[in-house]
Amino acid sequence: MPRRILVLSGHPAEASLTEALAEAYAEGARSKDHETRSFSLARMQFNPDFTAGYGGQQPLEPDLLAFQEAVAWCDHLVIAHPLWWGLMPARLKGLFDRTLLPGFAFRYEAGSPFPAKLLKGRSAEVLVTADTPVWWLYLVLRAGGYRAMKSQILGFCGFRPVRFKTFAPVRGSTPERRQRWLETARRLGARA
């Protein structure tokens, strides 16, 4: 059954390996007749600083409104991003801060310490590029950025399941290896 898939390249610079992985995923999804929409963080115009906080008013820029609409539209969200200092880039975190807002992504309810997850019924897949070897990332560093993305961002809003695929180490990788990674991303898109 065809799905509605939102693909976000979460690298703040254009023409990155991350963006190529996102595009390959979308190509794979379209090859199986899934409907896709794509966003590139590098091309989006918005203030990533959540200066007003939850108590203030900070109107959403047009790109943020379009992204929110696409999140509401999708069945499956794909985020491709580099791992910097164990986490996502700050601009990507700013996108989440500005768009996954109360009343859209979650809602606190009287008498409950836990919010209602307003984006339930959607799954997510996160494609991560890193210089850290995968085994070191999981066994030694314990993938803290992955846990935050899964539980405190996407899971908090209702995305389930949330799966990860790591492409690493990027530093020192050959063109052939990067081509294999693109093929893997295409296969993941075709299986979405």
Side-chain angles (χ1 to χ4, degrees):
M1 182 170 168
R3 298 180 80 190
R4 295 185 308 268
I5 301 175
L6 171 57
V7 180
L8 170 65
S9 170
H11 197 297
E14 294 183 38
S16 65
L17 174 60
T18 303
E19 188 168 73
L21 290 167
E23 290 170 3
Y25 190 103
E27 288 170 11
R30 286 190 299 271
S31 77
K32 297 297 181 179
D33 295 327
H34 297 298
E35 188 177 349
T36 65
R37 292 186 187 175
S38 295
F39 281 77
S40 171
L41 185 68
R43 293 179 183 89
M44 295 175 73
Q45 300 295 314
F46 67 96
N47 177 2
D49 294 327
F50 192 29
T51 55
Y54 290 120
Q57 293 292 324
Q58 188 172 358
L60 296 180
E61 292 88 338
D63 283 345
L64 296 184
L65 290 170
F67 182 74
Q68 268 192 339
E69 190 277 324
V71 169
W73 164 86
C74 78
D75 302 314
H76 184 63
L77 171 63
V78 179
I79 302 164
H81 74 80
L83 191 68
W84 291 348
W85 296 106
L87 303 167
M88 70 193 81
R91 188 167 174 78
L92 179 57
K93 173 67 167 52
L95 175 69
F96 295 146
D97 288 347
R98 294 287 317 281
T99 59
L100 299 180
L101 298 170
F104 172 74
F106 63 94
R107 179 181 57 244
Y108 287 110
E109 298 181 337
S112 175
F114 302 107
K117 301 175 181 200
L118 301 181
L119 297 175
K120 278 171 63 171
R122 293 164 179 80
S123 56
E125 197 159 3
V126 186
L127 312 179
V128 181
T129 60
D131 286 333
T132 306
V134 176
W135 66 271
W136 185 267
L137 180 63
Y138 279 97
L139 295 177
V140 177
L141 301 178
R142 303 185 65 180
Y146 290 34
R147 291 193 321 267
M149 178 73 84
K150 181 176 184 175
S151 301
Q152 295 176 288
I153 298 173
L154 298 176
F156 188 86
C157 300
F159 286 89
R160 186 170 178 210
V162 178
R163 294 191 173 94
F164 293 85
K165 176 65 179 167
T166 307
F167 301 89
V170 173
R171 189 169 39 98
S173 63
T174 64
E176 294 78 21
R177 182 158 192 186
R178 290 178 182 217
Q179 189 57 45
R180 286 194 303 273
W181 289 341
L182 293 173
E183 289 304 320
T184 297
R186 265 188 210 89
R187 280 194 305 276
L188 290 171
R191 283 199 311 239

mmCIF file of all heavy atoms in Angstrom, residues 7 70 74 92-93 96 118 164 180 192:
data_model
loop_
_atom_site.group_PDB
_atom_site.id
_atom_site.type_symbol
_atom_site.label_atom_id
_atom_site.label_comp_id
_atom_site.label_asym_id
_atom_site.label_seq_id
_atom_site.Cartn_x
_atom_site.Cartn_y
_atom_site.Cartn_z
ATOM 1 N N VAL A 7 10.657 13.401 3.547
ATOM 2 C CA VAL A 7 12.107 13.207 3.644
ATOM 3 C C VAL A 7 12.753 14.559 3.915
ATOM 4 O O VAL A 7 12.590 15.500 3.143
ATOM 5 C CB VAL A 7 12.675 12.582 2.350
ATOM 6 C CG1 VAL A 7 14.178 12.385 2.471
ATOM 7 C CG2 VAL A 7 11.976 11.257 2.039
ATOM 8 N N ALA A 70 3.591 19.424 6.081
ATOM 9 C CA ALA A 70 4.105 18.153 5.547
ATOM 10 C C ALA A 70 4.200 17.089 6.640
ATOM 11 O O ALA A 70 3.937 15.908 6.382
ATOM 12 C CB ALA A 70 5.465 18.376 4.890
ATOM 13 N N CYS A 74 2.242 13.427 6.413
ATOM 14 C CA CYS A 74 2.985 12.174 6.200
ATOM 15 C C CYS A 74 2.516 11.019 7.081
ATOM 16 O O CYS A 74 1.938 11.215 8.143
ATOM 17 C CB CYS A 74 4.488 12.403 6.396
ATOM 18 S SG CYS A 74 5.043 12.504 8.118
ATOM 19 N N LEU A 92 19.112 21.894 12.912
ATOM 20 C CA LEU A 92 18.066 20.869 12.878
ATOM 21 C C LEU A 92 17.302 20.863 14.203
ATOM 22 O O LEU A 92 16.077 20.773 14.218
ATOM 23 C CB LEU A 92 18.670 19.496 12.577
ATOM 24 C CG LEU A 92 17.696 18.322 12.532
ATOM 25 C CD1 LEU A 92 16.584 18.546 11.514
ATOM 26 C CD2 LEU A 92 18.453 17.029 12.231
ATOM 27 N N LYS A 93 18.017 20.968 15.298
ATOM 28 C CA LYS A 93 17.345 21.056 16.606
ATOM 29 C C LYS A 93 16.455 22.292 16.635
ATOM 30 O O LYS A 93 15.334 22.249 17.147
ATOM 31 C CB LYS A 93 18.396 21.107 17.723
ATOM 32 C CG LYS A 93 17.846 21.360 19.117
ATOM 33 C CD LYS A 93 17.006 20.232 19.623
ATOM 34 C CE LYS A 93 16.700 20.327 21.114
ATOM 35 N NZ LYS A 93 16.154 21.560 21.602
ATOM 36 N N PHE A 96 13.171 21.580 14.975
ATOM 37 C CA PHE A 96 12.260 20.858 15.871
ATOM 38 C C PHE A 96 11.701 21.785 16.942
ATOM 39 O O PHE A 96 10.506 21.748 17.239
ATOM 40 C CB PHE A 96 12.970 19.670 16.515
ATOM 41 C CG PHE A 96 13.391 18.606 15.551
ATOM 42 C CD1 PHE A 96 14.554 17.894 15.766
ATOM 43 C CD2 PHE A 96 12.643 18.311 14.428
ATOM 44 C CE1 PHE A 96 14.965 16.902 14.880
ATOM 45 C CE2 PHE A 96 13.039 17.330 13.533
ATOM 46 C CZ PHE A 96 14.199 16.628 13.763
ATOM 47 N N LEU A 118 0.236 14.000 19.705
ATOM 48 C CA LEU A 118 -0.655 14.381 18.617
ATOM 49 C C LEU A 118 -0.201 13.896 17.245
ATOM 50 O O LEU A 118 -0.954 14.029 16.283
ATOM 51 C CB LEU A 118 -0.828 15.908 18.604
ATOM 52 C CG LEU A 118 -1.400 16.504 19.895
ATOM 53 C CD1 LEU A 118 -1.554 18.015 19.754
ATOM 54 C CD2 LEU A 118 -2.722 15.843 20.278
ATOM 55 N N PHE A 164 16.911 3.629 13.136
ATOM 56 C CA PHE A 164 18.141 4.341 12.766
ATOM 57 C C PHE A 164 18.993 3.493 11.838
ATOM 58 O O PHE A 164 19.047 2.265 11.985
ATOM 59 C CB PHE A 164 18.971 4.671 14.020
ATOM 60 C CG PHE A 164 18.314 5.664 14.919
ATOM 61 C CD1 PHE A 164 17.381 5.258 15.869
ATOM 62 C CD2 PHE A 164 18.601 7.010 14.818
ATOM 63 C CE1 PHE A 164 16.753 6.174 16.692
ATOM 64 C CE2 PHE A 164 17.976 7.935 15.638
ATOM 65 C CZ PHE A 164 17.051 7.510 16.577
ATOM 66 N N ARG A 180 27.847 2.567 -2.224
ATOM 67 C CA ARG A 180 27.112 1.484 -1.563
ATOM 68 C C ARG A 180 26.137 2.049 -0.532
ATOM 69 O O ARG A 180 25.025 1.537 -0.376
ATOM 70 C CB ARG A 180 28.079 0.494 -0.910
ATOM 71 C CG ARG A 180 28.780 -0.402 -1.910
ATOM 72 C CD ARG A 180 29.460 -1.591 -1.257
ATOM 73 N NE ARG A 180 30.434 -1.244 -0.228
ATOM 74 C CZ ARG A 180 31.716 -0.975 -0.445
ATOM 75 N NH1 ARG A 180 32.203 -1.027 -1.684
ATOM 76 N NH2 ARG A 180 32.527 -0.676 0.547
ATOM 77 N N ALA A 192 10.156 1.131 2.513
ATOM 78 C CA ALA A 192 9.403 1.947 3.501
ATOM 79 C C ALA A 192 7.955 1.516 3.615
ATOM 80 O O ALA A 192 7.333 1.112 2.684
ATOM 81 C CB ALA A 192 9.476 3.417 3.092
#
